[in-house]
Amino acid sequence: MGIARAQDEESERREFEDFRKTLVALAATERSKENDDFKGLTSSHIADLDLQLDKLVCVTSGVSFLGLALVNRLLLRGYSVRILVDNQEDVEKLREMQVSGEMMMACNNKISVVIAKQTEIQGLMEAFDGCRGVFHTSAFVDPSGISGYSKSMAEIEVKASENVMKACARTSSVRNCVLTSSLLACIWRDSSQHDLPLLVNHDSWSNEALCMEKKLWFALGKLKAEKVAWKIAEEMSLKLTTICPGLITGPQFSHRNPTATIAYLKGAQEMYAKGLLATVDVIRLAEAHVAVFEAMNKTAFGRYICFDRIIARDEEAEKLASEIGIPPNRICGNSLEFIPTHFELSNKKLINLMSRTIRNWHGQS
């Protein structure tokens, strides 16, 4: 039985590797024929072809809580989605999601899967080939399932961000990239500074040394991953935007996204005391990703803070703790220990963009 199963697994692995290579080969063939295909076409035909090409995008970690919501949102907007996964197990997860109805069955012909390691730039380039946009959702989990999010995982996330950005910049078809960062990359600032602004918005950056001192590895990973992404984007002329969401919530979020949920809440008491503990529903976050991406050739630029609720009262904190399955004092206990400086979170930049984009969406329907 063990031998037979191993042979089956090896057969499936070869099958999906062949599938991946076929996708890459087809994309290369199409590009090589591009000039011949365009001969004799009218401007309207070329515009239609460009529109079809513009609708192919890639989502990294497409089996994650956010990744799945983003894939579904993109499908609803008419995109074809190439889902990048790390291994065969993720492919099986996708199959289960399709069967369970978590992924839109009606759009199966617009979904493709590519297996590629985020540690290998060449493999990422092959996965992105033919895509006009890439959404790097930066969804990582603890392989051992016990530490939440370790210091070593932060370094892995930073390296993955570096590789994805370099692969995007080196892939000629990729025009735009959207990186999922975190609100934690904005809020952990040195409160001992007398001139520290009370407003926390898209221009705010967390302090790397403070994150190290407090051992806020999730915040550190998101902060450094975003910084390296911006560095490479500037050096390699990659068009990039980043979205910095609060704690991602939604149906069964603590069960479906446990690593990021627990890791995000390290330091929750201090965040709550300072008015900086915010959440965002995963569907709204997915919509924000698509809205920002679609506005990148017009008005979208830089960073966007994304949240739809600030946890400001004890009953709200207790409800959140109950949803996660942790004691309330993990969030709202001992809040008087912290300096009573209350900050103001602002997502005005994203709200303004979303209001314009949603009006356009309704106008198209």
Side-chain angles (χ1 to χ4, degrees):
M1 292 293 289
I3 294 174
R5 181 175 180 180
Q7 290 175 337
D8 289 341
E9 290 176 350
E10 178 62 20
S11 176
E12 286 191 358
R13 187 194 67 77
R14 288 198 301 269
E15 177 185 339
F16 276 94
E17 181 62 19
D18 290 342
F19 175 63
R20 182 183 70 82
K21 290 179 178 177
T22 299
L23 285 175
V24 174
L26 284 172
T29 300
E30 289 302 316
R31 284 198 313 279
S32 68
K33 294 180 179 178
E34 192 175 49
N35 291 335
D36 291 337
D37 289 342
F38 283 173
K39 288 179 181 178
L41 292 179
T42 65
S43 59
S44 62
H45 288 148
I46 293 175
D48 288 341
L49 286 171
D50 284 342
L51 181 61
Q52 292 174 19
L53 289 172
D54 283 339
K55 287 292 187 177
L56 176 59
V57 296
C58 184
V59 177
T60 68
S61 304
V63 297
S64 66
F65 186 49
L66 170 59
L68 178 61
L70 178 55
V71 168
N72 282 333
R73 183 68 230 179
L74 287 164
L75 292 173
L76 283 171
R77 287 289 299 152
Y79 288 88
S80 294
V81 184
R82 185 177 297 167
I83 301 173
L84 188 147
V85 296
D86 290 334
N87 50 58
Q88 184 64 39
E89 289 182 8
D90 286 343
V91 175
E92 295 302 326
K93 287 180 184 177
L94 282 172
R95 287 176 177 169
E96 292 173 4
M97 289 173 179
Q98 287 179 312
V99 172
S100 67
E102 291 181 78
M103 185 171 289
M104 295 177 61
M105 293 293 291
C107 298
N108 275 357
N109 62 326
K110 291 190 173 184
I111 301 173
S112 59
V113 182
V114 177
I115 300 176
K117 298 291 185 183
Q118 295 184 25
T119 54
E120 301 170 0
I121 296 177
Q122 184 59 40
L124 289 170
M125 291 174 62
E126 293 174 0
F128 298 159
D129 193 30
C131 296
R132 291 298 173 93
V134 172
F135 294 85
H136 182 41
T137 63
S138 309
F140 287 83
V141 297
D142 177 12
S144 62
I146 56 175
S147 66
Y149 190 100
S150 63
K151 184 179 181 181
S152 61
M153 286 181 66
E155 295 305 319
I156 292 172
E157 177 151 4
V158 174
K159 187 61 179 176
S161 178
E162 179 182 346
N163 290 342
V164 169
M165 295 306 121
K166 287 181 177 179
C168 285
R170 294 175 184 175
T171 305
S172 60
S173 64
V174 175
R175 293 178 177 175
N176 300 322
C177 178
V178 179
L179 168 72
T180 310
S181 180
S182 174
L183 181 58
L184 298 181
C186 308
I187 65 173
W188 288 107
R189 304 173 301 164
D190 187 357
S191 299
S192 65
Q193 297 179 12
H194 298 296
D195 57 347
L196 187 67
L198 295 180
L199 180 67
V200 178
N201 63 11
H202 52 275
D203 290 324
S204 305
W205 286 92
S206 290
N207 183 290
E208 197 170 313
L210 182 66
C211 292
M212 288 285 291
E213 178 187 333
K214 292 179 175 290
K215 298 182 178 181
L216 300 167
W217 307 130
F218 191 70
L220 181 68
K222 296 299 181 183
L223 172 63
K224 292 179 67 176
E226 186 182 355
K227 282 188 172 182
V228 76
W230 281 115
K231 180 175 181 293
I232 292 169
E234 182 177 354
E235 292 174 350
M236 302 183 72
S237 300
L238 172 66
K239 197 161 187 180
L240 174 70
T241 53
T242 60
I243 297 180
C244 303
L247 175 66
I248 303 175
T249 60
Q252 299 180 321
F253 71 93
S254 62
H255 172 69
R256 297 173 62 189
N257 197 32
T259 300
T261 298
I262 297 302
Y264 190 102
L265 289 173
K266 188 168 185 179
Q269 292 177 351
E270 186 171 350
M271 287 189 279
Y272 174 71
K274 294 180 177 181
L276 297 174
L277 181 57
T279 65
V280 59
D281 183 82
V282 68
I283 302 301
R284 177 174 172 79
L285 179 56
E287 290 176 346
H289 278 70
V290 179
V292 168
F293 176 75
E294 293 188 350
M296 284 182 71
N297 293 328
K298 297 177 183 177
T299 58
F301 67 96
R303 309 170 81 208
Y304 291 85
I305 283 181
C306 184
F307 64 87
D308 53 22
R309 182 174 60 147
I310 297 174
I311 307 300
R313 302 193 303 272
D314 283 356
E315 53 266 32
E316 294 174 334
E318 290 167 1
K319 181 181 178 182
L320 178 62
S322 175
E323 292 172 342
I324 299 170
I326 61 174
N329 62 9
R330 287 275 300 275
I331 297 177
C332 55
N334 304 320
S335 60
L336 296 178
E337 292 182 6
F338 303 104
I339 300 173
T341 302
H342 201 81
F343 296 93
E344 178 187 353
L345 280 175
S346 173
N347 58 355
K348 186 178 294 184
K349 182 181 176 183
L350 179 61
I351 288 176
N352 290 339
L353 182 143
M354 291 284 289
S355 62
R356 293 192 301 269
T357 303
I358 290 174
R359 282 199 301 269
N360 291 336
W361 286 352
H362 288 317
Q364 294 169 8
S365 59

